[in-house]
Amino acid sequence: MMFVDYRIQDIRKKLEIARFRPLDVMVTGVTGAGKSTTLNSLFEKEVAKVGTGVDPETMELDSYALSDLVRFWDTPGLGDGVDMDRMHSKKLINLLYKTYVLDNTTYGWIDLVLVIIEGANRDMGTTYNLLNNVIVPNFQKDRILVAINQADVAMKGRHWNNKTNQPEPILKKFLDEQAESIQRRVKEATNVDIIKPIYYSAEYNYNITKLFDTIIENMPTRRRNLM
Ligand SMILES: Nc1nc2c(ncn2[C@@H]2O[C@H](COP(=O)(O)OP(=O)(O)OP(=O)(O)O)[C@@H](O)[C@H]2O)c(=O)[nH]1
Ligand SMILES: [Mg+2]
């Protein structure tokens, strides 16, 4: 499976209708959620540096072009203390207000925001903070996607089949319920209606195709006007 060529006709057609190119996706989430790992999984090589210890890894914004049609922006995660969060939030907001001008009209550079949540994460506070205080006030709500990573360790590693690299039914049920619960809680906490998050494992390449399909299915149909 090569994502460089994946569903390229679908993507091109959508971009032609929307009249912009490439699709710029900002990848965001708390530190350690697996943003960089997810990009490496999509690119099928190590493009982004992944954290090894407890320290956050990504400190700056980096963009990675998958093709001339799709580009991803890796960002530093929140949840690393008040001062760092303030600094990183500023970088995220700056990116959300990055613009380009076409035919005398100014448009937003970022077309879609992908919020990555850690499957094992009980404390959703930082994610809600990110949504509530950084993304939602500065970006169109209907361009926000949420996905659950680290599906393999959502139940602390239990019920993950290491031979097939897939969740067993019990874990699958758990993940399905978790996806619904997150959808509900995002609505309660931020008043944003998200589509039911998909779950995947960047580490084991589980459901990565589904993640990419979700991005394609939810591609904006027009350029982004500023708010
Ligand atoms: N078990 C498991 N571990 C994962 C998965 N995805 C990422 N990890 C691990 O989680 C840790 C953090 O991953 P990163 O990709 O660096 O996380 P990040 O969101 O980019 O973090 P920052 O750059 O600090 O914001 C690394 O040790 C990864 O190997 C996954 O799907 N399953
Ligand atoms: Mg990172």
Side-chain angles (χ1 to χ4, degrees):
M1 161 65 68
M2 288 298 284
F3 286 104
V4 199
D5 305 317
Y6 183 68
R7 292 185 62 185
I8 216 149
Q9 295 310 335
D10 290 343
I11 301 172
R12 182 168 291 138
K13 208 162 150 196
K14 282 178 183 251
L15 289 177
E16 264 163 25
I17 292 166
R19 296 169 63 220
F20 67 83
R21 163 179 180 170
L23 173 77
D24 277 291
V25 183
M26 173 170 135
V27 181
T28 182
V30 307
T31 181
K35 299 176 289 295
S36 299
T37 310
T38 300
L39 291 185
N40 290 341
S41 212
L42 284 166
F43 281 74
E44 289 154 292
K45 61 181 170 205
E46 219 174 297
V47 289
K49 192 142 183 288
V50 166
T52 45
V54 288
D55 290 336
E57 188 57 48
T58 309
M59 288 296 158
E60 298 300 328
L61 310 169
D62 295 304
S63 73
Y64 303 96
L66 183 63
S67 63
D68 57 347
L69 301 179
V70 184
R71 184 163 48 196
F72 290 96
W73 294 74
D74 196 4
T75 65
L78 296 197
D80 184 33
V82 178
D83 288 343
M84 287 301 259
D85 279 3
R86 195 173 297 134
M87 213 170 75
H88 290 156
S89 297
K90 215 173 273 172
K91 289 177 193 164
L92 298 178
I93 291 169
N94 278 345
L95 180 56
L96 294 176
Y97 283 100
K98 186 176 164 69
T99 57
Y100 63 95
V101 178
L102 210 70
D103 303 329
N104 292 317
T105 310
T106 305
Y107 298 102
W109 191 285
I110 296 298
D111 302 300
L112 203 61
V113 167
L114 173 65
V115 182
I116 294 180
I117 297 177
E118 202 180 321
N121 192 359
R122 313 259 138 240
D123 167 31
M124 290 284 293
T126 307
T127 299
Y128 294 142
N129 177 26
L130 169 70
L131 274 167
N132 252 338
N133 300 326
V134 181
I135 311 292
V136 173
N138 302 299
F139 199 75
Q140 281 82 348
K141 290 181 183 186
D142 58 352
R143 290 170 179 258
I144 302 170
L145 288 179
V146 175
I148 303 168
N149 182 31
Q150 311 210 13
D152 53 302
V153 287
M155 292 179 86
K156 299 182 174 161
R158 281 178 293 133
H159 304 292
W160 177 260
N161 190 321
N162 279 310
K163 293 199 183 78
T164 59
N165 278 333
Q166 286 190 353
E168 286 166 357
I170 293 175
L171 176 56
K172 207 157 185 295
K173 187 160 175 282
F174 178 88
L175 288 161
D176 272 316
E177 284 166 5
Q178 196 189 29
E180 271 166 30
S181 140
I182 286 173
Q183 184 183 33
R184 219 172 23 242
R185 287 158 66 193
V186 166
K187 172 75 179 174
E188 283 163 14
T190 71
N191 203 26
V192 175
D193 282 301
I194 53 164
I195 59 163
K196 190 178 157 195
I198 67 123
Y199 45 85
Y200 68 100
S201 168
E203 190 79 18
Y204 292 105
N205 268 313
Y206 165 71
N207 264 358
I208 290 289
T209 306
K210 199 163 172 187
L211 175 66
F212 201 61
D213 281 334
T214 304
I215 292 170
I216 297 172
E217 297 311 324
N218 291 282
M219 277 171 62
T221 53
R222 60 185 62 177
R223 292 177 200 138
R224 190 184 125 229
N225 289 107
L226 293 183
M227 293 173 76

